[in-house]
Amino acid sequence: ASMAAIAFTMASACLVLLPGLSPSTHARLPSSSLRMVALAEPAAGAKPRSRGAGQRERVSTTSLPLRIDGAWYDLLSYADEHPGGRWLLEYARGRDVTALFHAIHMKNSKLATAALSRLPRLESESLPQPSRPCPFPSEQASEGTLQGPYVLAGLDGKPVPEAPPLPPIESELRRDLAEMLRREFPTPASSKASAAHWARTIAALVGTVACWAGWVQGSALACLLLPFVHWVLIAHTVHEATHGNLHTDPRINFWAQFTSHPICFNVFVWIPQHLLSHHQYTNDDALDVDLHHLRPARLHPGCEVDEGYGGANFIFKGYFSTMGMSVLWPVRVLQQKSTGRWYRNLVTPKPDAVSDAELALSLLPVGCVLLWPWLRMLAGAITHTLG
């Protein structure tokens, strides 16, 4: 029975990762023909790389629009050549990624800008925007629009900025940082995880699997160790993977992001919240959705004051933050509800490239985690707290 339970739990987790769940899912996976090098000028006379048999037909959209420095670009023809992987571009579909573009390509900004200039531009009039900031998926679908350039905007009726409020891109500090990056990390591989990092990652992975196996069987020690061991694993994988910086192979980064499941956070809400919102507009209370997730705790002077709440509430909300990111926020997106009760457009969205079915499927592993102890108790396998 224990082995069957382990198999059931692991199979449920694997369902999140299956690349062939739908044609649109498969189209977003990294191409096996990706060239694992830094963004650079193509060699003279180089032939376009193959997408793979039938892959073009599986792409469900006619363009992949991203806004950079106020201009909309179509990255569809380039997506499979993107060193960070097609999936990162698809996750940002329809968004403004000005800050990310200039930050990620700081080391080779001239090459990146030259590559960008060769991509086709899209007229902004041809890209329908939602009637209100941060629409729910059903609203977006009914209007036939993009998600909008910002993950969070227009709170409490505030105007949505025409251009992202970013500091100047060019500065002496930026040039010094770029020079340091070129000196310290001369090749793409030199900035990725080292052999020692991978050794620790594998050890944490083995420990996590062992703890999950013990948890399924009702081991009190495994239950106590699991959150800590799993945290060590994701500390070595998820953050760097979702930034395309764990490995030069984007396929490894793609799979590594799912180590956050099932008890840390759902990666489909993490990407918009953390990468597209927080990392681009850090501590901007009008655009950084992270500042609002733990309300009524007040994390920024620009956030409203909720009377009657103190430090204890912050601790309480923080304690349950993983439950929020693993279950509550994804479920609210599926239910067409806002993330919090304060603003209708405070939504933690999924990427436009992820369907509702895929988001729902990604909740299966955490559903197993929540239900399994109760099933064990109903079956009489758990008779007391530590049994």
Side-chain angles (χ1 to χ4, degrees):
S2 297
M3 291 305 297
I6 295 173
F8 174 72
T9 302
M10 296 303 292
S12 298
C14 288
L15 284 174
V16 180
L17 310 179
L18 286 176
L21 293 175
S22 70
S24 59
T25 308
H26 188 87
R28 289 191 299 276
L29 292 178
S31 167
S32 59
S33 62
L34 281 169
R35 183 183 178 191
M36 313 311 170
V37 295
L39 186 61
E41 298 268 2
K47 296 180 179 179
R49 299 179 188 89
S50 170
R51 288 172 173 263
Q55 188 170 1
R56 183 179 300 276
E57 288 71 21
R58 287 193 294 268
V59 177
S60 59
T61 54
T62 57
S63 65
L64 205 173
L66 297 177
R67 191 172 74 175
I68 301 172
D69 291 326
W72 287 95
Y73 294 88
D74 182 6
L75 279 82
L76 186 63
S77 62
Y78 174 70
D80 290 320
E81 308 302 321
H82 181 233
R86 181 190 186 97
W87 61 281
L88 279 174
L89 298 180
E90 287 282 3
Y91 281 4
R93 174 185 292 273
R95 300 295 194 187
D96 188 297
V97 292
T98 300
L100 286 178
F101 175 82
H102 289 290
I104 292 172
H105 301 115
M106 182 186 297
K107 187 173 70 170
N108 297 309
S109 59
K110 291 182 178 179
L111 293 174
T113 302
L116 183 67
S117 67
R118 294 193 297 272
L119 296 177
R121 289 198 182 194
L122 297 169
E123 295 294 333
S124 59
E125 293 78 11
S126 67
L127 301 170
Q129 299 298 325
S131 58
R132 73 178 185 91
C134 313
F136 292 114
S138 63
E139 294 174 316
Q140 179 192 347
S142 64
E143 295 179 357
T145 66
L146 299 176
Q147 285 187 305
Y150 306 104
V151 173
L152 174 69
L155 284 181
D156 212 17
K158 295 177 182 177
V160 178
E162 290 292 330
L166 301 173
I169 297 298
E170 291 300 327
S171 66
E172 189 63 32
L173 174 61
R174 178 182 173 84
R175 287 188 286 272
D176 288 345
L177 287 173
E179 179 58 35
M180 182 195 72
L181 290 173
R182 286 190 288 268
R183 183 176 62 252
E184 296 294 329
F185 307 109
T187 65
S190 62
S191 64
K192 311 306 182 189
S194 64
H197 184 106
W198 282 112
R200 293 192 299 269
T201 301
I202 293 172
L205 176 61
V206 171
T208 301
V209 172
C211 285
W212 276 115
W215 174 85
V216 167
Q217 299 179 62
S219 166
L221 179 60
C223 291
L224 291 172
L225 292 177
L226 177 58
F228 302 99
V229 177
H230 198 168
W231 182 88
V232 172
L233 173 63
I234 70 166
H236 282 76
T237 55
V238 178
H239 188 273
E240 298 307 305
T242 53
H243 291 65
N245 203 47
L246 182 65
H247 198 276
T248 53
D249 188 335
R251 292 167 297 186
I252 294 177
N253 292 327
F254 178 84
W255 297 117
Q257 67 178 321
F258 291 103
T259 55
S260 65
H261 294 244
I263 62 172
C264 295
F265 54 82
N266 185 295
V267 75
F268 291 143
V269 299
W270 161 268
I271 290 285
Q273 169 210 326
H274 182 75
L275 191 60
L276 300 177
S277 177
H278 175 68
H279 268 313
Q280 291 208 100
Y281 314 113
T282 309
N283 291 338
D284 184 333
D285 63 298
L287 297 172
D288 184 355
V289 71
D290 269 8
L291 297 177
H292 300 275
H293 278 157
L294 297 183
R295 284 191 64 180
R298 190 171 180 232
L299 302 184
H300 187 277
C303 296
E304 291 78 359
V305 176
D306 293 307
E307 301 295 340
Y309 295 96
N313 184 264
F314 176 79
I315 296 174
F316 178 81
K317 294 275 285 190
Y319 184 77
F320 285 100
S321 63
T322 55
M323 180 65 76
M325 291 196 67
S326 295
V327 182
L328 298 180
W329 300 339
V331 168
R332 282 170 177 165
V333 171
L334 292 172
Q335 293 177 326
Q336 310 288 314
K337 294 182 179 180
S338 62
T339 299
R341 59 184 174 83
W342 300 276
Y343 302 111
R344 182 168 177 258
N345 60 322
L346 180 55
V347 179
T348 303
K350 60 179 176 59
D352 195 18
V354 176
S355 69
D356 285 350
E358 290 168 309
L359 180 60
L361 194 60
S362 73
L363 294 172
L364 280 183
V366 72
C368 291
V369 170
L370 293 174
L371 292 175
W372 179 247
W374 295 99
L375 294 176
R376 294 269 293 176
M377 186 178 297
L378 292 173
I382 299 177
T383 55
H384 55 83
T385 305
L386 297 178

